[in-house]
Every structure is written in structure tokens, then in C-alpha cells.
Amino acid sequence: MSNTYFRVHPAINIARVGNSDSYYIAPETAAGDLIDKESGLFGGLPTNKDTGKPVEAADFRDSAQKVVRQAARFRIYAYDRPQDAYPGTDPGREIKIGDTVGGKTVKDIVWMVHLANKKNNFFQITSANGEEEGINAYKPGPDGKYNFPPVRDPSIGPAAKDGLEKLAEPERLKKLVIDPGPRTIASSAAPDTVVPFNAATPCTFVDDKGNVVDAPYYPVSFPDDHFKMYQYFGAIDTLGELRIEKDTGRLVIAGGYGRASGIEQKDGGPPPMTDAIDNNYWFDDIADGPVNATVLFDDGSTAEVVAGWFVTSDPGYAPQTRNIVSTWDDIFNTWVENLDLMPDLYSGGTYQSDYKAVFNRDILPVFHGAFLQRWNTNLPSQGINGHDLMASITPRDKPSDRIPSFKSLMRDPNIPQDDDEGVKMPLSLGDATKSFLSVSPTQYFLMMQWYDNRFVADAPPIGPGERLDRDVLLNCLGGRYSPGIELTFIVRDVNLYDQDWKGATGPFRINQDRLDYTPYTEESGRDKIPLGVGYIPLQTARVQPGDLSKFMSQPWHTDYNSCAVHLPDPNPDANNTLYWSWPSQRPVQVHPADLCHYDAEKGVWNLGGQLFSVRGDGSGPENGTHTNLPQKVGRFQEYPDFVENWHKVGFIIQGTQIPADHGDNYGSDKFLEIASLFTGPGDLVQPWPTAVLPTGDD
């Protein structure tokens, strides 16, 4: 057993909120990858938990038309050798109850998960001067002292304190952190066992001998314990629940219900909700935390498993559409350039010119991402033709023949002035303090290697656990963290990770703060404060439950609503063109399936018109989503209206998964909106690019 290493996979996994008790399994194949050449079915689709097949149009909502949650699934893999390279030389094997490992039989697997939400006891996204965002807001100044943005919920805690000192105040740690405590569940549990992260369910943890121990005095905290709350769709009284997948013993974690609640003000009303990303005194039920496990053997011995991490995020409204830059691309770039992940690719501060890109792994996903985004935006015909061309390129093609101007089309992340070139690719808004999106430096290097004919078609497959690490994050947003959707700019900070990765741990692991839960077995534990300030960018504090999601918008709804079309920020001189923020994760203009029309003579479905994915009436004085300002289209004009209506947004899915009146479906060549609960067409979708009206309002 001393030569066996156990790891949870994926290393980081993402679930998504919904307002239904039902769930399906979040995608475990890469968005934008063609996974079935016969049907043309693209990867990245969630899986129906009952059938094990990709979800279809009817699966996104339950019988009451509520949004079904995406749940994250975790597995355990055993490795016979320590990891000394990436990809690992040992592919590993998944283990389950009854398997033999090192001559011992696996008797059970006990999972321990701790979720929390720390958003309110943290800093705002943007610096006090409004000019710094992301990692720049945490860098030390000329005096060597670290800078921090303003504290959220500033009136709670001593007025004389600020910054980290204020965040460490006991009053704030007790009242502003949503913390249900740790939970455990065994793989041997009955399939219908549900362990919620609510106040009524006992806290339990696993000790160093593999025993499940009650922690009855853990100081559980929810907003309604401390404040009178103004609620949207009920109290925030749970952050999700644990289950065991039938017949496999795998862990399934479903997140929250998309709720928001605010501390009631003196006039009896809710707090203001006027900012795209920072709204003081509001809570949501997003959460994150470590996923630990202990393997129990038939001889009474145990083995600890390298932990994974769980994060809840916004709903997945377009699960098959890949981002041109994904979370994986940013994490991979960080590890390549800073943590010696692949010396044959990058070493000594330099990308290695003799490294050969892999077309199907490194190049095709970027082209597919560009190709598929046309279904979430209103690209002009010239842009659509260009994106279609990229998706048609194969490893057999000579790159310079297919795209002669490729090098001049791609925005170079290594050249700052390229950031002002709005006509280059990708056609999306940039990261914090950058006007336009660039691929990561690693992506750019690999794409230039391909263009210079230094590439191979494919590479040997990586192990199944490592593939899960990669594929789940390929379905998530990268490149533009303002602040982001699933994760944020912190994925570029090496301090987020366990950097001692060679050996038992392997890469891409969060630098977990292993909490001691034994004080909460006794009554004196009631007065203790389990979670502190935790991880801070550019500093070495380990990561606690709630530390990944605390960098997100508060609540998540306002950021999602606002990110339709924008001017760049900063905006280059004389630019009056609008761009998209996150078309893969936040569809803007869509093709509803019910607007398509059937050509009986040709036997095909033709597209109808486009609508904004967010369209509807609201209760505020600005009449829902309607506006005469092109820079504000495709969103509710008042943020509370989106909090009321987020669950009405439809889903974008490949036509093969949508039943049709003529033929079996709408075809593999279309990605259409289904299941929208908005009843009106909303504002007219104008051709892109759209000029900004001369009102001075941006």
C-alpha cells in the first residue's frame, strides 16, 4: 500500500445553480469537441443522471418548469507510481467498493466536504479609485505595502478598522460568512441518501483513523441567523447537498438554488442593488470548498486521498459552446509558465521552438470555440463565414493555404499595443484593464507552432483522471475575469495551488488549509470561529472553504445581467463598436427553435430571426429589458428585475437534441434556444457592429 497513491478527480469541479430540486451531471467531456462523428454531436453536454445519456431539450427544466441544477461528480483514482511529469506516466484506475488495491479489498469510501460562502466578508472587485481590478488590485505599492480594494458591507464591524484587519473581526466572521460546516457521506450509503448543507443537518467530519465523528457544536451560520432579510425566492438556508451515485459509489454534489437575499434596511426595504458586481449587504447561495475522501480497507487500515475542490456557479445556459479561452487554458498557462509543468514545452522562461503542437488537443478546440460562438451572438455574414472556415480546418491542411493571414488576424498577448486592435481575433471584450480578449500566451505559442507546420495531428491519450481535470474546466470561462463566472483571476496566482506537486499530489490541486474539527465535539466549540480571512492573492495563506467564490460578483445575478454588449474598458480612441463579454457562458443574441421554419421541398429547417436571450418585462420604472440605447440592450435595465427573472432564460443546445415536427430533430448544424420562459420578443436585434448613440451614456 505504501506504493499506491489516491487522488480525487476532477481536481476542480463546477456545479451550477437552478431553482429545481432535480439535477443532472455537469459536463465531463470538453465543450466544443466533436464526440460523435456519425451524429455530429458536440461534447460538453451534461448527462441525464437516470439514463447516463446526454441531456435533451426536455431535461433542462422539471415538470414545474424550474431550472434543473447541474451537479458535480467526483471519483477516486489509484496510482501505482508517484507523478513526476505531466501528463503522468501512470494512467491510474478508478476504485470502488470491492476493488483490490495492494492485496487489500476496499471496504468503503468516506467522503468529507465543507462548503461556505465568504463573499460578504471580503473585498469588493474594484479598487477604491475604480481603476484597478483583478490581480492588480492586490499588488504592493511603492512603499512595499499590499493594496486592497474597499471592504464589502463596511458598516458591519468596527468603523475604525479597514482592510485585512476589518475582515478578521469576529463579528464579521460570525455574521457575514455563510457556513453550514462539514458533512460526510459513505459510498456505501443508500442511493436515496441526501446530506444537505443546511442548519438542520448535523455536522460530521472524518478523523485521522477514518471514523465519522459528530461535531454538534460547530457554529453553523446563515444570514437569517443574524439579520432580518429581504428574500428572493426564499431564505438562503442551504448551500446544496451530497449524494452517492447509484451503483458506482461516486460522490455527487449539487449546489444552491440561485437565491439572493439582502439585509433589510431601516425603512423596511432591501439594500440598493445598483452595481454590476458589488452590492453591499446582499447574499447569494454560491459556495465552494474541499472534497476530501478516506479509503477504508477490509483489514481495518485506511488511506487518505488527495483532495479535489467543488465550486458552485451560474446556470449553464449554453453547455456545448466552448470559450475561445477557457478556465483550463488559463490554469494550464499558469502551471506551464510558473510551476515547471511541461519543461519540453516551456523551460527557463522560454517556450521551446522544437515543441510540436497537437492539432486535435491544442488547435481544434480554439477553432471550435470561435465557430460555436456565432450561435450566441449576432455576427455579420462575413464573420460567420470566417468562423465556419476555421471549424472546417483539418490536420491534413497546410495552415498557410487555409488562412494566409492567420498571424495578422490573431491578437498577440505578448504585445501590449495589440490590445487596442478591435478587428483582431478573438472578437470579445478583454480582461480587467484590457480592451480586448487575447488567447493565453501558451495558446498563442501553440497556434503559431501549428501555423508554422510544427505540429502533429494527435497525441497519446492522457489518463482518465487527468482528462477529467482538463475537460470539466474546458467548459468554463477564461480570459475575461471581470470578475468571471465560475472562477476568477486567482487561477493565475501560483499561491492558489499546492506547488509541491511532484510525488503523491499531482498538478492543479488547490492549496487546502486542513481544518481541525475536533474542538466542535465539545460545547466550548460554540464560541470558536472556524473560518478566518483565508486566501489572499499574492500571499501564502492556505485556501479555506468559500475562498474561491468570494472573488465573484455579489450577487451573481447582477454581473450576469450586465454582461451582454459593451464598449471596451478602456475604450480605444474613436471606437464606437460594441463587443460581447462572455458569449459562451452568457448568450446574448440567440436563434429560438420555435422561430425556425421547415422547407418541405429541401427537407431542412431554416433559421428564423434572432432574439436577445434576456428579454422581458420588469417591475421597475425602466420597463424591463426595453431600451433605446444600443449599449444597454439584451439585459434588464434594473438589476432586481433579473434577480426576479433569471430562471426564465432559455438554453442553447445542438439541434440533434431538440425534437422537431418534421424529421427527428433540427439537425447537427444548428445550436438553438429552447425552454425560454420569456413571452415577448423584446427589443429588436440590430446588426453588428452597433454604433453607440451620441448620448454620452455608456
Side-chain angles (χ1 to χ4, degrees), residues 349-423:
T350 304
Y351 285 95
Q352 304 301 297
S353 60
D354 58 349
Y355 183 88
K356 290 187 176 181
V358 179
F359 182 84
N360 287 329
R361 183 190 67 198
D362 303 324
I363 310 305
L364 186 61
V366 179
F367 288 164
H368 275 164
F371 161 64
L372 292 173
Q373 287 194 12
R374 61 164 290 195
W375 298 104
N376 301 345
T377 60
N378 64 334
L379 284 174
S381 58
Q382 182 180 1
I384 290 174
N385 292 337
H387 286 70
D388 287 350
L389 167 65
M390 286 189 285
S392 69
I393 296 173
T394 73
R396 298 181 297 276
D397 295 321
K398 184 178 180 181
S400 58
D401 288 346
R402 294 303 304 274
I403 314 181
S405 58
F406 181 73
K407 286 193 174 182
S408 63
L409 284 173
M410 286 292 296
R411 191 173 292 110
D412 188 341
N414 305 296
I415 301 178
Q417 56 266 35
D418 252 20
D419 186 51
D420 292 335
E421 294 290 335
V423 296

Side-chain angles (χ1 to χ4, degrees), residues 15-97:
R16 300 182 187 276
V17 299
N19 58 344
S20 171
D21 287 330
S22 300
Y23 69 92
Y24 42 68
I25 303 300
E28 295 177 339
T29 54
D33 286 354
L34 191 63
I35 60 173
D36 187 339
K37 293 183 179 179
E38 286 189 15
S39 68
L41 184 65
F42 275 75
L45 268 174
T47 303
N48 185 300
K49 67 180 178 66
D50 297 317
T51 66
K53 297 179 180 179
V55 297
E56 297 181 344
D59 294 322
F60 287 101
R61 296 189 181 276
D62 64 16
S63 59
Q65 294 301 296
K66 292 183 177 181
V67 175
V68 177
R69 293 174 292 168
Q70 283 187 13
R73 178 167 56 189
F74 291 88
R75 319 176 194 206
I76 294 176
Y77 285 79
Y79 298 86
D80 295 325
R81 296 187 296 275
Q83 186 157 3
D84 57 4
Y86 181 82
T89 55
D90 181 355
R93 62 196 184 281
E94 186 178 1
I95 64 162
K96 303 173 184 176
I97 295 175

